[in-house]
Amino acid sequence: MRRMRLARMMSGLTLVAGLFVGAVSPAAAAGGAENPVSVVSYNVCGGWQDCQSPLASTPGKTPQERAGDWADDAITRARLAGTDLIMLQEMCKGQYDALLPKLAGYAGYFSSKKTYGGCGAWGSDESLGQVVLFRGATSGQINGSSVEVTAEDTRLAVCAKGPLAGRHAFACSVHLSQSTASGDMHELMDHIQAQAGGASVIVAGDFNHRPADINPALAAGVRVSGTLAEADATLNQPTTGWDSQSQPPRYTKKFDHAFFSTEDFHSPSAAVEDPQLTKVKDHALLRAFAVPRKPVPGDLTGDGRPDLLAVRKDGALRLYPGAEGGRFGSAQVLATGGFLGAVVSHRGDWTGDGREDVLARIGTELYVYPNAGGGTLGSPVTIPNRENQWGTVKPRAVGDYDGDGRPDIVVQGASGLWLHRGGDPATGPSLPYSAVRIGGAEWAYDGNLDILAPGDTGKAVGEPDGVKRADLWVRDRISGEVREYRSNGTAELTTPRTLAGDTWTAAQRPVAVSLGDGDGDGLADLWITTRYDAQTATGGDLYFRPATIDNWGTPLEVGTGGWSYIESLS
């Protein structure tokens, strides 16, 4: 079941023209609530004397002093401080060693497979390579890797995984060959596919290809499916070289590009700048922006709609991608077996990559299946339980129930309903706190209550402003009533309200589920299956029941036949 998220990159790399030429992002300029991530990519030309900074030859100073002066100059001219992600190419080790201590709050990764005499201007280590720097990270959070993408001049793609915008990002600073036949695109994409592991992907650097060449060159190197979008403000400018009359300067013989994974970011844009750090205008500094996509409760595929997971009675696990109006697309088979009797749910990001993951109790074990992107799942991660009794309970991921920003689990056990509070997703799936009993014996796992997970259904009485807590819906299998319990944090649940409208007993409506908002009206909805009548060969259908302010709307058939083979939905 392990399929990396870059299994979605072959469908094309999209060149998206920037909407502006400047130093601020569209969202920031508009004062919008969405906070874009900022990326700087720059070839600093550290070792080649014909273009390296004039500070490399400052008389009367040691190489370390020159490197310190260069670091101060780079931070000021390139405005590096405050940038979320910094990607630098052709950087000497002495420059990196001087720059990193001056960038407070950054952690990074430098890698090199070659030395260059010109790097001696900055220190005794003449290594020349690429750099990735994350703002707000510690060295322990950075996992670096590199790949020699071509033997020509020992060019490298240097990548690092680290925290970015509340998720894990896999960022690659690249310096590729000018030859499209070199195979470096293949090497780059293979390395990303092998190492990204479900993280958001950003690729930036000196591609040595003009805008007209970059799309076919990259597409030729992508062997798997998906989309990367380029943030580029200068694709269609007709001039060549630097135009000194333009403000900001235009540079269209441009080899520097930034790409963002479209499953994780939207609205990419870029600004081209000349920080005047080198003797010649050999490269442009590219300042790129993209807005992280906000996870939608129930959404596994990254398209902004809640999706449906179905466990069949043969143990197969299927994903039905959400479509408009509470409908679903064609099923994707995630597993052909192994889930018979499993308790499966999906609410919350358990791995810290910004995507909703899948929780499954199989036998006596509880697993998180990381979302690998596009509806694919990675290898399961076991969540230990100090009582080691997962096999005798029904655990369900409901989202952030207690309002602390982390996903939680509610568990129907022998003695009632228990809340297991989730740990920091950045450290991996965990339940570090003692379980809290929030419901009595009527919630026992062998009782008549089906827990539904609609997400946050609105502000509860007495709930602080700005607090988002996942609430609970319950279907009584005998009476057919659907009741709403508003989250009460870690305290015991209070008196519920019965949701008006039809009642659905298990005899007539075998399976009921809430995926959250299926039709985009801001209200959580229901999906139910109908009983199959073998004598008349009718039923076994799936219906969407949209919510209204005080009732349920007209039922809509969204699945015909075959749903009687479904053991559970989530």
Side-chain angles (χ1 to χ4, degrees), residues 29 91 122 181 207 318 343 362 383 452 455 503:
M91 190 174 199
W122 312 111
F207 284 81
R318 290 186 174 185
V343 180
I362 303 175
I383 298 185
L452 313 179
T503 58

Side-chain angles (χ1 to χ4, degrees), residues 10 30 92 95 112 130 160 174 210 247 265 311 346 362 380 395 400 402 406 494 501 519 521 533 542 559:
M10 185 68 180
C92 298
Q95 291 174 295
S112 168
Q130 272 72 263
V174 305
R210 296 173 298 173
Q247 292 296 329
F265 301 96
V311 176
H346 60 105
I362 303 175
D400 180 14
D402 60 3
R406 299 171 177 178
T494 56
D519 53 10
D521 64 357
D533 188 327
L542 178 68

Side-chain angles (χ1 to χ4, degrees), residues 371-413:
N371 187 340
T376 61
L377 301 179
S379 297
V381 178
T382 302
I383 298 185
N385 179 11
R386 59 178 60 87
E387 289 86 14
N388 195 29
Q389 293 178 344
W390 290 124
T392 60
V393 299
K394 290 183 180 179
R396 180 168 292 275
V398 294
D400 180 14
Y401 180 83
D402 60 3
D404 67 353
R406 299 171 177 178
D408 304 308
I409 298 173
V410 294
V411 174
Q412 290 173 282

Side-chain angles (χ1 to χ4, degrees), residues 15 41 174 203-212 214 218 230-232 235 254-259 286 288:
L15 295 178
S41 177
V174 305
V203 184
D206 182 356
F207 284 81
N208 270 310
H209 296 290
R210 296 173 298 173
I214 192 68
L218 274 180
E230 180 173 15
D232 196 337
L235 287 177
K254 183 176 112 45
F255 294 161
D256 300 273
H257 307 270
F259 290 87
L286 188 67

Side-chain angles (χ1 to χ4, degrees), residues 448-495:
N448 298 317
L449 300 183
D450 289 337
I451 293 180
L452 313 179
D456 184 8
T457 60
K459 187 176 182 298
V461 175
E463 190 175 64
D465 291 337
V467 172
K468 294 288 187 180
R469 290 175 178 168
D471 302 309
L472 301 180
W473 284 355
V474 171
R475 193 268 293 258
D476 189 309
R477 297 173 63 85
I478 303 300
S479 71
E481 279 189 345
V482 176
R483 300 189 288 270
E484 179 181 82
Y485 289 83
R486 307 303 295 270
S487 169
N488 200 23
T490 57
E492 191 157 340
L493 290 167
T494 56
T495 303

